[in-house]
Amino acid sequence: MKKIYDCVVIGAGVAGMTAAIYLKRANIDFILLEKGVPGGQINKSSNIENYPGFKKVDGPTLAFNIYEQIEKLGVDYKYGDVKEVRDSENYKVVCTDKEEFVTKTVIIATGRRPRELGLANEKKLLGSGISYCAYCDGMLYKNKDVIIIGGGNSALEEALYIADIANKVYIVHRSSEYRADQFLIDKVNKKENIIKYFNKEVIDILEQDDRFSGVKLNDESVINADGLFIYIGQIPETNFIDNIKTTEDGYIITDSHLKTSDDKIYACGDVLKKDLYQIATSIGEGALAASNIIKILK
Ligand code: NAP
């Protein structure tokens, strides 16, 4: 007979790993599934300065610290790209691309992925001058010129990071003001090699010899550069869900206990519709979802 878990946690970002710490310490029999690297989106953050206890830390270091903590606790961690969560009698069956896990409860902590511009050749030039992670690829642009698209916290944080490596950084933003913390806006304003464009949209991605070479803006002007980093927000990873309530744009809706529209499925982290997307909020939600799952299991 197939093993029946108490819980399956889907996603090992900061929310999922926090849930795992709480479940393990309560002796719950569960497995943590992840399709990428532990830490998720925080691995793309070059500099975190608003997570208490760390004056300044890069995303991969914070992610690795949490991963080491779950490893030391002996959390059952496995690669798994979840394609479906379905009902089977009184249980849930979590189906990955390779196997199935039968469980009493599920915590969804799948987070978000970067939004794409949707322009022709964006996908083709990924890795050939286009990237969604300045922290991962920034060193390739030492003393070169790069363009960042977006006006949120991510765009500004990563513009600041890459401004210390690149020659010039052009930030192209479609609105008249940034949607970012004032602290970051002030820092960006002080950087001499950051050139700001407001009220401008990228309408074309230019290429030369199969590499990114620049962008055309909606006023027909062109910015030539060696690299393009796209930071225009994120979309929730909920493609595998079809039986719980979400917003129109795919975010999971929960009650204040983080219970979804299905009594046996809880959710936490950036996959939720919420007011504040921060490491601190995701960690709190991971703890809360796990505590409530522990209560219903016991
Ligand atoms: P975001 O806050 O949603 O900002 C996305 C930016 O991209 C906006 O400026 C938006 O412009 C622009 N945009 C959206 N679609 C576009 C398109 N098709 N073409 C051009 N521009 C487009 O996304 P984010 O910066 O990734 O941040 C996500 C969340 O994480 C936010 O809640 C953020 O505060 C949080 N976060 C926090 C920190 C921190 O606290 N240090 C760091 C990173 C992220 P408009 O303004 O015109 O809509």
Side-chain angles (χ1 to χ4, degrees), residues 169-230:
V169 177
Y170 300 92
I171 305 179
V172 178
H173 181 33
R174 69 177 180 184
S175 297
S176 57
E177 50 190 55
Y178 293 128
R179 192 205 292 190
D181 295 348
Q182 192 58 44
F183 171 76
L184 288 172
I185 298 173
D186 293 344
K187 276 190 167 182
V188 162
N189 286 338
K190 282 188 194 135
K191 274 273 176 200
E192 284 183 0
N193 64 338
I194 295 184
I195 300 125
K196 294 164 295 202
Y197 284 75
F198 291 97
N199 301 310
K200 295 279 185 274
E201 282 188 47
V202 172
I203 56 166
D204 219 349
I205 294 174
L206 310 176
E207 63 175 281
Q208 200 173 6
D209 302 330
D210 289 328
R211 268 201 74 81
F212 168 79
S213 65
V215 296
K216 188 193 261 188
L217 304 180
N218 51 340
D219 60 4
E220 298 292 319
S221 64
V222 165
I223 308 174
N224 294 308
D226 305 287
L228 175 68
F229 293 91
I230 301 168

Side-chain angles (χ1 to χ4, degrees), residues 50 112 115 117 150-154 157 173-175 179 181 231-234 277-278:
N50 57 0
R112 305 191 286 181
R115 176 180 288 128
L117 273 173
N153 276 323
S154 301
E157 262 180 4
H173 181 33
R174 69 177 180 184
S175 297
R179 192 205 292 190
D181 295 348
Y231 281 103
I232 59 166
Q234 299 172 41
Y277 293 87
Q278 294 280 309

Side-chain angles (χ1 to χ4, degrees), residues 14-298:
V14 292
M17 288 198 288
T18 304
I21 292 170
Y22 280 72
L23 293 175
K24 191 71 191 174
R25 286 166 58 89
N27 239 345
I28 301 297
D29 183 12
F30 73 102
I31 188 161
L32 172 60
L33 301 174
E34 168 61 52
K35 69 173 178 178
V37 288
Q41 289 294 306
I42 68 161
N43 285 301
K44 295 180 178 170
S45 290
S46 54
N47 187 22
I48 297 158
E49 291 183 64
N50 57 0
Y51 183 59
F54 293 82
K55 280 182 213 134
K56 192 174 167 137
V57 63
D58 62 88
T61 299
L62 185 58
F64 188 68
N65 285 352
I66 307 173
Y67 178 70
E68 275 193 323
Q69 205 173 344
I70 62 166
E71 202 185 25
K72 204 165 172 201
L73 281 170
V75 166
D76 193 0
Y77 178 96
K78 202 165 189 186
Y79 167 82
D81 186 358
V82 174
K83 301 293 183 193
E84 188 189 13
V85 178
R86 62 178 159 79
D87 289 313
S88 173
E89 294 168 8
N90 280 332
Y91 300 109
K92 299 284 170 196
V93 183
V94 177
C95 312
T96 73
D97 48 347
K98 292 195 171 66
E99 54 198 318
E100 294 188 349
F101 302 89
V102 182
T103 178
K104 295 175 190 162
T105 63
V106 176
I107 295 179
I108 299 175
T110 42
R112 305 191 286 181
R113 65 173 184 278
R115 176 180 288 128
E116 295 171 8
L117 273 173
L119 289 174
N121 62 10
E122 180 177 356
K123 278 200 169 71
K124 178 189 148 196
L125 297 177
L126 192 62
S128 299
I130 296 188
S131 167
Y132 298 90
C133 179
Y135 191 45
C136 317
D137 300 327
M139 284 315 278
L140 301 172
Y141 298 93
K142 200 165 169 51
N143 300 327
K144 295 186 173 177
D145 296 340
V146 303
I147 299 167
I148 297 220
I149 308 180
N153 276 323
S154 301
L156 267 51
E157 262 180 4
E158 300 317 308
L160 286 165
Y161 168 74
I162 211 161
D164 287 336
I165 300 166
N167 175 43
K168 279 186 197 156
V169 177
Y170 300 92
I171 305 179
V172 178
H173 181 33
R174 69 177 180 184
S175 297
S176 57
E177 50 190 55
Y178 293 128
R179 192 205 292 190
D181 295 348
Q182 192 58 44
F183 171 76
L184 288 172
I185 298 173
D186 293 344
K187 276 190 167 182
V188 162
N189 286 338
K190 282 188 194 135
K191 274 273 176 200
E192 284 183 0
N193 64 338
I194 295 184
I195 300 125
K196 294 164 295 202
Y197 284 75
F198 291 97
N199 301 310
K200 295 279 185 274
E201 282 188 47
V202 172
I203 56 166
D204 219 349
I205 294 174
L206 310 176
E207 63 175 281
Q208 200 173 6
D209 302 330
D210 289 328
R211 268 201 74 81
F212 168 79
S213 65
V215 296
K216 188 193 261 188
L217 304 180
N218 51 340
D219 60 4
E220 298 292 319
S221 64
V222 165
I223 308 174
N224 294 308
D226 305 287
L228 175 68
F229 293 91
I230 301 168
Y231 281 103
I232 59 166
Q234 299 172 41
I235 48 178
E237 288 273 15
T238 49
N239 289 347
F240 63 95
I241 294 165
D242 59 8
N243 48 4
I244 60 173
K245 245 191 212 160
T246 62
T247 61
E248 259 178 34
D249 47 357
Y251 285 93
I252 296 177
I253 299 169
T254 64
D255 65 12
S256 60
H257 303 285
L258 302 181
K259 185 172 77 179
T260 69
S261 54
D262 183 315
D263 282 358
K264 291 175 181 158
I265 304 181
Y266 283 60
C268 55
D270 283 3
V271 76
L272 296 176
K273 186 71 196 167
K274 57 181 180 173
D275 290 336
L276 190 61
Y277 293 87
Q278 294 280 309
I279 297 167
T281 54
S282 289
I283 283 179
E285 291 145 11
L288 183 61
S291 306
N292 287 327
I293 286 281
I294 293 162
K295 274 186 207 151
I296 63 167
L297 285 168
K298 291 196 167 164

